[in-house]
Amino acid sequence: MDAIRIRGCRQLFGTIRVGGAKNAALPILCATLLSDGASRLRNVPGLRDIETTAALLRFLGRDISVDTPEVLVGQTTQAVRPEAPYELVRQMRASVLVLGPLLARYGRAKVSLPGGCAIGARPVDQHLKGLEALGASISVEHGYIVAQANRLKGAEVVFDMPTVGGTENLLMAAALAKGRTTLVNCAREPEIEELGRVLNKMGARVEGAGTAIIHIEGKDELDPFDHAIIADRIEAGTFMAAVGATGGNVLLEHAPLDDLEPVVAKFRQAGLTIEREGEHARIVRADRLKPVDVTTAPHPGFPTDMQAQFMALMTVASGRSVLSETIFENRFMHVPEMQRMGARIEIRNNVAIVEGVKQLSGASVMATDLRASASLVISGLVAEGETVVRRVYHLDRGYEHIETKLADVGADIARIRDESSIP
Ligand code: UD1
């Protein structure tokens, strides 16, 4: 198994290119199921989650060739098996995003319940409630969601809370439903706006994707599409945090600054200079970091997917900061690892109180989920001595060549073979 070895305390200078957005690419890959034709996705990041989604589409019976940054989904030439097995859903919760498209296109779907994951319980009740409102009959049998509908019918769906995946599943299902659907209290993430753009390219009529209320006029059939995926705001934010932690001057190519406003505002408060240069962003940090409080919230609030990386920054700020996590109940698993590196953090329920220290010290740490892994890499970059981050398969789910990108701007970082007995 691989690990990432970092020798810290080097500032970062140069250029990093931001890749395509994982969380936009995953639902868009699932949307290819809505059409029988051949679709082409460009600017797709080379990630394990993309490979898992490709494996799922293959299992369902679609031809798919992944040659990132391009992915081609071939014409349907054989019967599609509308079933997502536990083995694949277990690896990636976003697999549940095939439920809406399969049900809408084939009238039935059997998708494993995702179950819990490291960061919390993450139920899918809102997805199911919404699909039922569109006329599906749904049962849960032997750990599988079993859904059926002759033809989904447009309806009004009011979500109990803004859910990214729930909004996406319903958007895709409604695009092939008969008549008009209105989704209320939708998640407003940029990746949902992006999915709306793709569905419109396919011939659906989606209005309001990216706002709290979305109207969809369903169609009898949808066309294949060719689309280049937007840049990954969380990858961009992660590199901003890295430069913020180490200091330096880095140009982030294709950083989606508009999608990152709540994050950029907090980084600026902490003392980073972030300036737009055409479609790129320049990140500079010269002085010691200032402590800044953060509360995660649905978009356009501060994203939960940036909480751990922001905490890495705050562990070396000049004072006390308070970070509150409101989206997932168990998203502080990076804290004990950061503490082993000398960070001073106290947890009270869903609140972390961070007392900035002058210097972290390198240690052997273990990644527990995707964003936690990124935060430990950032901690390693700013720590004195050597840090080894283990279980990097979490990192590979969501960051393409993070060690190469950071090494190219001057970090002393390398992927090594983890010879320890720890799995
Ligand atoms: C997506 C993102 C993930 C991000 C999260 C929150 C993808 C592939 N993943 O995950 O990176 O951290 O948004 O921004 O885009 N909830 C329910 N019932 C439901 C659905 C959700 O109670 O049916 C709750 C969840 O437990 C959580 C909150 O709603 O507390 C938000 O979850 P949701 O927006 O659905 O997250 P995901 O789509 O799973």
Side-chain angles (χ1 to χ4, degrees):
M1 197 175 292
D2 289 349
I4 302 279
R5 191 211 58 216
I6 306 157
R7 297 193 182 108
C9 295
R10 293 174 67 141
Q11 297 203 320
L12 305 180
F13 293 94
T15 301
I16 301 178
R17 189 179 183 286
V18 179
K22 168 179 90 72
N23 286 356
L26 299 181
I28 290 171
L29 275 166
C30 296
T32 62
L33 290 167
L34 293 166
S35 159
D36 287 347
S39 291
R40 175 171 174 236
L41 280 71
R42 288 170 286 122
N43 201 33
V44 178
L47 304 172
R48 204 158 63 87
D49 275 6
I50 298 294
E51 284 161 25
T52 307
T53 311
L56 177 56
L57 292 182
R58 253 177 233 123
F59 179 90
L60 295 168
R62 295 298 296 255
D63 261 350
I64 175 161
S65 77
V66 179
D67 186 12
T68 52
E70 204 167 284
V71 173
L72 299 173
V73 180
Q75 254 182 316
T76 309
T77 51
Q78 51 180 318
V80 164
R81 163 172 45 169
E83 181 177 332
Y86 177 63
E87 193 42 48
L88 289 168
V89 180
R90 187 179 61 84
Q91 288 175 42
M92 188 191 66
R93 288 181 43 87
S95 307
V96 78
L97 291 174
V98 297
L99 178 63
L102 287 177
L103 183 61
R105 175 68 191 79
Y106 301 101
R108 64 201 169 91
K110 186 175 169 194
V111 175
S112 171
L113 271 172
C117 71
I119 62 175
R122 298 179 84 173
V124 290
D125 56 304
Q126 299 298 308
H127 305 228
L128 305 189
K129 184 184 95 170
L131 293 170
E132 277 174 341
L134 264 55
S137 61
I138 297 181
S139 56
V140 173
E141 295 167 18
H142 308 293
Y144 278 78
I145 304 161
V146 181
Q148 277 188 335
N150 284 336
R151 169 89 195 263
L152 293 174
K153 290 192 190 62
E156 181 174 281
V157 174
V158 182
F159 292 109
D160 292 351
M161 79 285 289
T163 147
V164 174
T167 305
E168 290 168 345
N169 240 334
L170 265 293
L171 251 180
M172 292 188 278
L176 274 183
K178 190 172 168 56
R180 187 177 168 85
T181 296
T182 300
L183 306 178
V184 179
N185 195 23
C186 296
R188 293 177 281 168
E189 269 68 2
E191 293 77 21
I192 293 172
E193 202 177 333
E194 174 81 338
L195 178 62
R197 270 191 288 273
V198 168
L199 292 172
N200 282 335
K201 274 190 180 177
M202 298 178 81
R205 277 192 36 215
V206 178
E207 274 171 36
T211 73
I213 300 183
I214 308 180
H215 299 286
I216 307 117
E217 203 69 60
K219 294 281 156 144
D220 293 339
E221 273 179 42
L222 291 171
D223 301 322
F225 61 89
D226 181 336
H227 187 77
I229 307 284
I230 51 169
D232 195 313
R233 64 194 167 103
I234 305 299
E235 189 197 15
T238 301
F239 288 127
M240 286 178 186
V243 180
T246 62
N249 181 330
V250 167
L251 185 73
L252 279 186
E253 283 185 349
H254 306 292
L257 280 188
D258 294 336
D259 295 343
L260 268 166
E261 265 170 21
V263 176
V264 166
K266 290 294 177 183
F267 280 144
R268 284 188 176 135
Q269 265 177 272
L272 275 69
T273 305
I274 300 179
E275 273 164 9
R276 200 183 288 271
E277 289 190 9
E279 56 180 20
H280 314 308
R282 183 163 298 282
I283 323 298
V284 182
R285 205 270 286 164
D287 305 322
R288 177 132 192 234
L289 290 160
K290 296 192 265 293
V292 177
D293 297 345
V294 155
T295 299
T296 62
H299 192 78
F302 190 94
T304 174
D305 284 354
M306 278 300 301
Q307 178 257 111
Q309 302 91 311
F310 199 83
M311 191 183 295
L313 202 64
M314 290 298 101
T315 60
V316 288
S318 61
R320 166 187 292 207
S321 56
V322 178
L323 277 62
S324 309
E325 171 59 54
T326 70
I327 307 293
F328 293 114
E329 67 267 30
N330 192 17
R331 213 169 190 184
F332 284 144
M333 280 173 318
H334 42 286
V335 169
E337 303 299 306
M338 286 181 183
Q339 285 167 334
R340 299 189 51 248
M341 300 177 72
R344 286 181 55 202
I345 307 168
E346 189 192 327
I347 302 285
R348 291 190 200 147
N349 299 319
N350 68 327
V351 176
I353 299 151
V354 184
E355 290 290 347
V357 295
K358 273 230 164 63
Q359 179 82 72
L360 297 179
S361 67
S364 179
V365 290
M366 206 149 64
T368 46
D369 71 67
L370 169 54
R371 306 303 169 186
S373 326
S375 75
L376 295 176
V377 169
I378 296 168
S379 298
L381 291 175
V382 78
E384 169 269 315
E386 186 169 291
T387 295
V388 176
V389 182
R390 302 208 143 87
R391 295 197 179 165
V392 292
Y393 51 86
H394 291 294
L395 205 57
D396 295 336
R397 285 190 45 208
Y399 291 93
E400 184 175 15
H401 305 311
I402 192 170
E403 71 281 13
T404 320
K405 287 185 176 185
L406 287 169
D408 285 349
V409 291
D412 186 343
I413 180 170
R415 186 174 287 257
I416 57 167
R417 193 88 205 122
D418 184 3
E419 305 295 351
S420 81
S421 54
I422 304 167

